[in-house]
Amino acid sequence: MAGSTTQQDPGQTTAAPEAAPPGTEGLGQLWETFLPKRFGTLRITALLLMGIVGLIVPPVGAYFIWLALKTPDLSSKQAARRLHLFEHGLAEVGKNGEVSVFRWDSTTATQEITERYANGLYVGTTYVYTLYREDGTRLKVTDFYAQPEHWGPAVQQEITRAQLPGLLTALEQGRTLAYGSLTVSLGGVATAKGSLTWSEIEKIDMAQGMLLLCKSGKKLPWARVQIKKVPNLFLFLALADRLRHGGPLQDA
């Protein structure tokens, strides 16, 4: 990832790259800033109309009006929120101006990406990334921000870039690494049901929210793990790729 650009939704005016918020001085260069997604005039109008009509049943009408008023389109506090990606970490600016900082080299992330359907028709995808610091602080980042299909993988990739060399060294020193219910060592990968050597794994795949470990010569996956329960998914996949294909773990 490179550059210092501000990402916008279609239809929004282009803004110049923003200044880094206070508390992010140790994160290096600001690469990208993501703004809250706007609902747009039609969706906001529909929510307000449903709220007005729903006032016949006051709790229902009030709920739709409340939904409209908390959108970035109508709430200045929500519109002021920001997601910043830096060279060495991520910072979120909350609705009250609070800044949460997570460094790539010490952050654990889980992801849950869900495609939604209504009557068999695709209606959208929800993105939820939960970040954890070593001190136990947790931050949930969702598709409230524009372009989650861009910033989500970027978060996973930067965590992998920062942490992979150290974990390869740890494996060479004989350590075992845990990724949820999966454990990884130089010898292979293990789950509660048993273990496989790296040479026994034909492929590692992902489908319908599941991580699939496939054993050579078997039609059905040897292990199925929910992707949302695999911390630092891209990091696990990078380690598995190195170990499955043999050769030196560290780059020359």
Side-chain angles (χ1 to χ4, degrees), residues 182 189-191 193-196 213-215 218 220-224:
L182 301 169
V189 61
T191 70
K193 67 178 290 184
S195 61
L196 290 180
L213 277 66
C214 302
K215 184 178 180 180
K218 300 293 183 180
L220 297 177
W222 173 76
R224 296 164 54 90

Side-chain angles (χ1 to χ4, degrees), residues 51-62:
I52 293 169
V53 173
L55 289 177
I56 298 171
V57 183
V60 176

Side-chain angles (χ1 to χ4, degrees), residues 6-114:
T6 300
Q7 300 294 331
Q8 303 275 338
D9 269 342
Q12 287 183 260
T13 57
T14 302
E18 302 183 7
T24 61
E25 292 78 10
L27 295 183
Q29 182 183 2
L30 174 58
W31 279 341
E32 294 183 284
T33 295
F34 297 89
L35 306 183
K37 287 193 296 189
R38 299 284 179 162
F39 274 46
T41 303
L42 289 177
R43 292 180 65 189
I44 291 295
T45 301
L47 282 175
L48 291 173
L49 286 175
M50 285 189 289
I52 293 169
V53 173
L55 289 177
I56 298 171
V57 183
V60 176
Y63 174 72
F64 283 114
I65 292 174
W66 174 78
L67 281 180
L69 293 177
K70 69 176 292 191
T71 65
D73 303 69
L74 299 180
S75 169
S76 59
K77 284 190 174 182
Q78 295 290 358
R81 292 173 60 182
R82 296 290 185 270
L83 181 65
H84 299 290
L85 300 191
F86 290 82
E87 179 182 3
H88 300 300
L90 170 152
E92 189 204 38
V93 180
K95 65 180 181 180
N96 295 316
E98 68 278 13
V99 180
S100 301
V101 172
F102 289 75
R103 291 186 58 88
W104 305 132
D105 58 10
S106 57
T107 291
T108 299
T110 58
Q111 68 179 54
E112 185 172 1
I113 301 173
T114 306

Side-chain angles (χ1 to χ4, degrees), residues 84-215:
H84 299 290
L85 300 191
F86 290 82
E87 179 182 3
H88 300 300
L90 170 152
E92 189 204 38
V93 180
K95 65 180 181 180
N96 295 316
E98 68 278 13
V99 180
S100 301
V101 172
F102 289 75
R103 291 186 58 88
W104 305 132
D105 58 10
S106 57
T107 291
T108 299
T110 58
Q111 68 179 54
E112 185 172 1
I113 301 173
T114 306
E115 293 184 346
R116 295 179 287 110
Y117 293 84
N119 298 320
L121 298 176
Y122 172 75
V123 295
T125 302
T126 58
Y127 298 80
V128 180
Y129 287 80
T130 306
L131 310 182
Y132 301 85
R133 285 204 310 243
E134 291 179 334
D135 63 4
T137 300
R138 183 178 71 170
L139 175 68
K140 187 171 289 188
V141 187
T142 73
D143 48 24
F144 171 84
Y145 293 105
Q147 298 186 336
E149 69 282 355
H150 177 75
W151 58 254
V155 167
Q156 293 277 27
Q157 289 164 1
E158 292 306 313
I159 288 174
T160 300
R161 178 191 57 78
Q163 297 184 28
L164 182 60
L167 293 181
L168 290 172
T169 297
L171 288 170
E172 289 181 323
Q173 294 171 348
R175 284 183 54 191
T176 297
L177 308 176
Y179 291 87
S181 62
L182 301 169
T183 57
V184 173
S185 68
L186 283 182
V189 61
T191 70
K193 67 178 290 184
S195 61
L196 290 180
T197 63
W198 293 112
S199 61
E200 291 179 293
I201 298 177
E202 181 178 17
K203 66 177 179 177
I204 298 176
D205 205 355
M206 290 183 287
Q208 298 181 329
M210 304 297 292
L211 179 69
L212 309 175
L213 277 66
C214 302
K215 184 178 180 180

Side-chain angles (χ1 to χ4, degrees), residues 236-248:
F236 167 80
L237 293 173
L239 287 169
D241 184 67
R242 293 284 188 103
L243 294 164
R244 284 179 59 223
H245 294 98

